[in-house]
Amino acid sequence: MDFNHFLSSYYPDPAYGGKRLYGDMVEQAILAEALDYRGVTIPEHHLINLLITPAPLQMAVKVASVTERIEITTSVAVLPIHDMRVFAGEVVQADILTDGRLILGVGRGAFAYETNRLGVSLEDTREKFDESLNVLIALLSEEEVSWSGKYYNFEPITIMPRPLTKPMPRIMLAVLSEPGIAACTKRGFCIQTSPLSAAPEVLEGQVKAHKRAKAEMGAAGEALYITLLRVCYCATDEADAREKLELAYDYYSRFDNVYTGPGIVKNGCIEPLPRDQTIEELEKNLLICPPGEMTDRLAVYDGLGIDEVMMNFNLGQPQAETLDSMRRFASEVMPHFQKAAG
């Protein structure tokens, strides 16, 4: 089982400054490669101080310029807020400038506050995403593409230059349902999923859906994989874990505001709102613990057949603590799974 480091872009204090924020992300990417993480992940969000990376492809190119081999994933590029005729060219340019290390994770968006203010109702994003994805695939893999649909109508065009990766850069879809996972796998997409707060058997069903679909594809499915997104922190001890859990609880008081709540944002800063979930209930859904417990809990995912864990350390702790946790995880947890794979 491999590991991917989600580049932290939580911005609770705007006084910290964007230069330091993005500098921290680049520093994490350099360290992730040095520690033999498989990849790093870059989110896309706008207008808010959480997961804030308005141009993930730009960040991917920057990361590629200071690394040599690590994979660079977007999670996720929000297709409904982009024009695919422009975005396809940007993807090709990023594919070339990252030397083919780009994995284009795509999705429809999750925050109504964000999509509504960018001109797309969240209720419409599913339908627009489906058409946008089909348009994007056509533009990346074919020449002289024309389109007649609900959201796109255009005469034949060819995106130039053509992709470095043939027939197109690798694409990953964020999917939760078993039928959706199977269908997307059969279309040739890698899968990003999460059990959220569901029972363990839900994750088991998600993995089996991917593995069955992949097996049915034969050689065409060999390169496909399923990655699991988890909020994690490899703590020094129980006291450190409790401190980081409290940071996570504060983080989710903002996340919930824009994900399921009213979307109260002032000057770009999400207001923290009271949560119905207790901190003890939240703890069960996160991997915030010392290395020994972390190893045991990750072993369950390895046993289920998860190929990669995408680890979101995005809790608001200082950069030095993030880097220390990355090193601790690499030295005390990762070797257990490298030996198992090896």
Side-chain angles (χ1 to χ4, degrees), residues 41-45 56 74-78 105-109 172-174 192:
T41 293
I42 304 164
E44 177 182 2
H45 282 288
T74 60
S75 178
V76 293
V78 184
V106 297
R108 69 186 184 99
M172 173 183 288
L173 263 62
Q192 174 192 317

Side-chain angles (χ1 to χ4, degrees), residues 181-183 185-186 208-218 221:
I181 288 171
T185 300
K186 289 178 181 179
K208 287 182 177 179
H210 168 72
K211 299 297 184 184
R212 283 194 299 266
K214 180 177 174 178
E216 292 173 10
M217 297 173 67

Side-chain angles (χ1 to χ4, degrees), residues 10-328:
Y10 181 33
Y11 195 39
D13 180 7
Y16 192 74
K19 183 172 178 62
R20 292 173 69 187
L21 175 72
Y22 294 136
D24 288 352
M25 293 172 72
V26 173
E27 185 178 25
Q28 291 171 31
I30 294 170
L31 181 61
E33 179 168 87
L35 296 174
D36 289 328
Y37 285 73
R38 173 177 177 167
V40 293
T41 293
I42 304 164
E44 177 182 2
H45 282 288
H46 304 259
L47 312 177
I48 52 177
N49 62 330
L50 185 149
L51 300 169
I52 180 65
T53 310
L57 295 178
Q58 285 186 16
M59 180 60 78
V61 171
K62 175 63 177 179
V63 168
S65 75
V66 296
T67 58
E68 295 181 356
R69 64 185 183 279
I70 200 164
E71 293 181 346
I72 307 167
T73 303
T74 60
S75 178
V76 293
V78 184
L79 297 191
I81 64 174
H82 295 281
D83 186 321
M84 292 303 98
R85 291 162 293 190
V86 176
F87 186 69
E90 294 172 344
V91 169
V92 170
Q93 185 171 358
D95 176 48
I96 294 168
L97 294 178
T98 61
D99 297 317
R101 288 189 275 149
L102 177 69
I103 299 172
L104 185 67
V106 297
R108 69 186 184 99
F111 299 161
Y113 175 89
E114 185 177 31
T115 60
N116 290 348
R117 283 157 180 78
L118 294 174
V120 183
S121 169
L122 188 64
E123 290 73 22
D124 295 334
T125 55
R126 169 54 65 194
E127 185 180 45
K128 189 172 183 183
F129 171 80
D130 291 341
E131 184 173 340
S132 296
L133 178 61
N134 291 332
V135 171
L136 178 64
I137 290 170
L139 291 171
L140 291 174
S141 60
E142 304 171 20
E143 299 183 14
E144 290 302 280
V145 174
S146 60
W147 202 267
S148 177
K150 180 175 180 178
Y151 297 98
Y152 287 93
N153 287 277
F154 53 85
E155 298 298 316
I157 57 173
T158 298
I159 298 301
M160 294 295 286
R162 304 304 298 159
L164 172 67
T165 304
K166 303 299 182 184
M168 62 182 174
R170 290 169 290 175
I171 293 179
M172 173 183 288
L173 263 62
V175 193
L176 296 179
S177 72
E178 291 182 28
I181 288 171
C184 291
T185 300
K186 289 178 181 179
R187 290 189 66 184
F189 303 135
C190 296
I191 301 297
Q192 174 192 317
T193 195
S194 173
L196 298 176
S197 58
E201 53 266 27
V202 173
L203 177 59
E204 182 177 5
Q206 291 170 328
V207 175
K208 287 182 177 179
H210 168 72
K211 299 297 184 184
R212 283 194 299 266
K214 180 177 174 178
E216 292 173 10
M217 297 173 67
E222 288 180 357
L224 301 180
Y225 63 91
I226 184 167
T227 187
L228 178 67
L229 175 61
R230 300 298 283 156
V231 171
C232 306
Y233 188 86
C234 191
T236 57
D237 52 29
E238 293 295 341
D240 185 36
R242 180 66 188 192
E243 177 184 302
K244 299 308 183 292
L245 178 61
E246 291 172 356
L247 286 177
Y249 195 80
D250 181 72
Y251 171 89
Y252 276 101
S253 74
R254 292 170 169 82
F255 181 91
D256 291 350
N257 181 346
V258 288
Y259 183 52
T260 57
I264 302 172
V265 179
K266 296 180 181 178
N267 299 103
C269 296
I270 305 168
E271 292 286 303
L273 298 181
R275 306 190 72 238
D276 293 330
Q277 186 184 46
T278 68
I279 194 168
E280 290 75 22
E281 290 169 337
L282 176 65
E283 183 178 20
K284 296 176 183 178
N285 298 331
L286 308 180
L287 291 175
I288 299 177
C289 50
E293 182 181 345
M294 178 78 72
T295 300
D296 292 341
R297 295 176 69 180
L298 287 171
V300 175
Y301 301 147
D302 191 31
L304 288 175
I306 290 290
D307 298 306
E308 176 187 76
V309 179
M310 185 181 290
M311 309 189 70
N312 183 358
F313 282 48
N314 209 5
L315 307 176
Q317 69 276 2
Q319 171 76 346
E321 293 185 8
T322 298
L323 301 178
D324 285 346
S325 184
M326 291 175 65
R327 294 187 188 98
R328 190 160 46 251

